[in-house]
Each structure stands twice: as C-alpha cells, then as structure tokens.
Amino acid sequence: MKVENKIVWLTGASSGIGEALAYRLSEKGAYIIISARRVAELERVKSQCKYPEKVRVLPLDLEDTTSLENKTKEASVFFGDIDVLINNSGIAQRSFIHNTNPLVDRKIMEINYFGAIMLTKFLLPQMRTRKNGQNVIISSVLGKISAPGSSAYAASKHALHGYYDALRYEESENNIKVTIICPGYINTPISYSALNADGSQFNKMSKPQQFGMKSDVCAKKIVEAIECEKEEVFIGGFQERVALYMKRFFPKMLSQTMKRLTKKMKMQ
C-alpha cells in the first residue's frame, strides 16, 4: 500500500513526531487532515508541507469526547472517506504513583486511550462498508515495558495494545489493518507538556529525548511501516532495544534495573 493519494487523518500534528509525519506524508503525495488543539501551529505546519493544497486543518481536542463524532464527520467531508487514521496525539507524565493526583491519571487515559479509540469507533463503519482502511497507533516502548515516573502514561499505552490487537483480529475479514508503532527516545518536545503530579507541566526537555532519534528519521520509518502494513514496529535506539530484549528473555534482570533507576530518580 502506497500513501500517495491516500486520505490520511493525522492527530497530534502540531509538533514532534506528528509534525514530522505531516511533512513526510506530504512529500509522498498523500491527502492529509492534520489535527491538534493549536490552530496557529497547524497552519504553520500546513504552510511548510510540500503540497499544502492537499492539506486541511481540523482543530481537535481529544479530551472533549462529546465533540469527536462530529469531528469525524468533518474530517470525512474534506477529501472523502478516510483511508488511514494515525492516532498520534498523546500526553506524557513525570511523577510517581504515591503523590500523583488521580485527576492526572484520568486526563492521561482520556487523551491517550479513550480519545484514540473513539476516533477509531466513529470511523469504523465507513471502513467496514468499504472493506478497506488502516488504523495506525503511535504507542511507545512504554506500551511494552513500564517505567518509574510514567505509570499512567505506560498504562494508557499498554491499553492501546490490548484494544488494537483485538481490532486487528476482529476486522481482518473486512480488510481493516492495524499498525502499532512503538517509538523509543525520539527528539521531540513531548516532555515539555508532560504532566507533573499536580497536573502542572514539566516544561523541560528530558535528557534521553534530547539525544534521541531525530523526528524526521522516525517519521520516515513510520511511513515505511504504514506502507508495508506492518502489524507492530519498534523504532528507537540500542538502549530501548536492549530493554525490550530483557523484558522478553530476562524479566528479573529488567526488574532489578528499573528498581535501581527508581532509587536514582528519587535521589535527584
């Protein structure tokens, strides 16, 4: 499957991986609906796409779940039925469980999990009617491995894997594909908007992300995975790859490593 001339709805397109994906998809000739909360940033991204005439801006707040059905209808008006939905929007976390306000847990789950699956649910009828479509989920390595200071974020990503694996099985007869992307450390500003224990913003670039893979490189790999209709793909560096390997083959060793990391974080 080539994305050229496909109709792609991309959420979280105002920065980071989403912004890089918008540019890559445009280079490949896709028709793109880009969504996020910040309209000015979406307009900036549109203006920098290779083919801005094939890009439409659709403001979207995933936390406002009552608006999502109508937003899905709006997205389908621009160019026609959606071929590919890329659920990229998300919010990170920087806090330990014992002092995290439960409202922070709910907010992260609402945006990262419920927002994504609601868009999928509302698009599913048209994909089933056409017997064609692809759901792309930008998860995380933390969708496979949890880590200290990221409990709610990791939980939301784990939930996405459970949901979309089931969707893949249930809708295979309708030719509806599911591609789950698990990025590791990518050089994006996601940590700036990450939530602290009280719901305030972290407002800092984390060191692992600072030295992570460039977002344009990540976007290129994601589009390749979409076109190859991969089921699940890891994108990241050596450190994250080792952690995934340890989780599968040496879980006790990974547990000890994470406990040491937790102690180090608490001393900072």
Side-chain angles (χ1 to χ4, degrees):
M1 193 277 290
K2 298 296 182 184
V3 297
E4 183 180 6
N5 292 324
K6 295 293 184 181
I7 300 169
V8 182
W9 187 9
L10 169 65
T11 70
S14 60
S15 64
I17 292 174
E19 179 177 351
L21 275 172
Y23 300 147
R24 182 61 181 170
L25 289 165
S26 185
E27 287 172 7
K28 300 279 282 185
Y31 290 91
I32 320 165
I33 301 107
I34 54 175
S35 291
R37 290 178 302 168
R38 299 177 295 170
V39 179
E41 288 302 300
L42 290 174
E43 293 290 354
R44 175 187 60 80
V45 171
K46 176 182 176 179
S47 69
Q48 294 179 185
C49 284
K50 185 174 182 179
Y51 300 109
E53 68 277 8
K54 296 176 77 171
V55 181
R56 296 291 183 271
V57 168
L58 178 61
L60 180 71
D61 182 357
L62 288 178
E63 204 173 0
D64 182 10
T65 54
T66 59
S67 71
L68 298 185
E69 185 171 12
N70 284 334
K71 288 294 183 179
T72 304
K73 293 175 182 177
E74 288 182 52
S76 300
V77 166
F78 289 122
F79 302 115
D81 288 345
I82 307 299
D83 294 307
V84 182
L85 169 65
I86 305 180
N87 272 311
N88 171 68
S89 285
I91 189 165
Q93 174 195 12
R94 293 293 184 275
S95 62
F96 290 116
I97 293 169
H98 73 275
N99 63 354
T100 299
N101 189 313
L103 293 177
V104 171
D105 297 302
R106 286 186 175 276
K107 183 182 182 74
I108 291 171
M109 208 68 181
E110 198 70 52
I111 295 171
N112 293 4
Y113 175 71
F114 286 108
I117 71 166
M118 292 287 278
L119 295 185
T120 293
K121 278 181 175 288
F122 291 134
L123 282 179
L124 195 55
Q126 62 174 253
M127 289 185 175
R128 297 186 88 225
T129 298
R130 293 160 53 221
K131 290 194 178 296
N132 189 46
Q134 188 171 7
N135 287 269
V136 181
I137 302 86
I138 310 301
S139 178
S140 168
V141 167
L142 291 184
K144 310 291 283 185
I145 303 170
S146 199
S150 299
S151 56
Y153 179 78
S156 69
K157 297 300 185 179
H158 274 67
L160 289 172
H161 283 255
Y163 186 91
Y164 283 99
D165 279 346
L167 180 71
R168 180 188 296 116
Y169 310 146
E170 291 178 12
E171 297 298 335
S172 60
E173 63 183 14
N174 291 315
N175 196 36
I176 295 172
K177 307 295 194 306
V178 171
T179 298
I180 302 178
I181 307 293
C182 302
Y185 294 122
I186 311 297
N187 191 317
T188 73
I190 188 173
S191 63
Y192 282 96
S193 59
L195 300 182
N196 291 315
D198 61 357
S200 61
Q201 291 193 344
F202 187 62
N203 278 328
K204 286 186 261 185
M205 170 71 90
S206 67
K207 286 185 179 179
Q209 283 183 305
Q210 187 177 351
F211 299 103
M213 178 185 288
K214 298 297 183 184
S215 58
D216 59 335
V217 176
C218 178
K220 182 179 179 181
K221 291 178 180 291
I222 290 172
V223 173
E224 288 173 357
I226 293 171
E227 292 191 320
C228 292
E229 297 180 343
K230 298 283 189 180
E231 291 195 351
E232 187 170 302
V233 177
F234 161 73
I235 299 173
F238 178 76
Q239 180 180 346
E240 306 95 284
R241 192 177 297 277
V242 168
L244 287 170
Y245 183 84
M246 290 171 65
K247 174 69 173 180
R248 183 173 181 181
F249 297 106
F250 304 101
K252 189 171 182 179
M253 186 184 299
L254 178 64
S255 179
Q256 293 302 320
T257 301
M258 288 299 185
K259 288 174 183 176
R260 288 194 296 271
L261 175 60
T262 302
K263 289 181 180 179
K264 182 178 179 181
M265 290 172 65
K266 288 181 175 178
M267 291 172 62
Q268 292 177 347

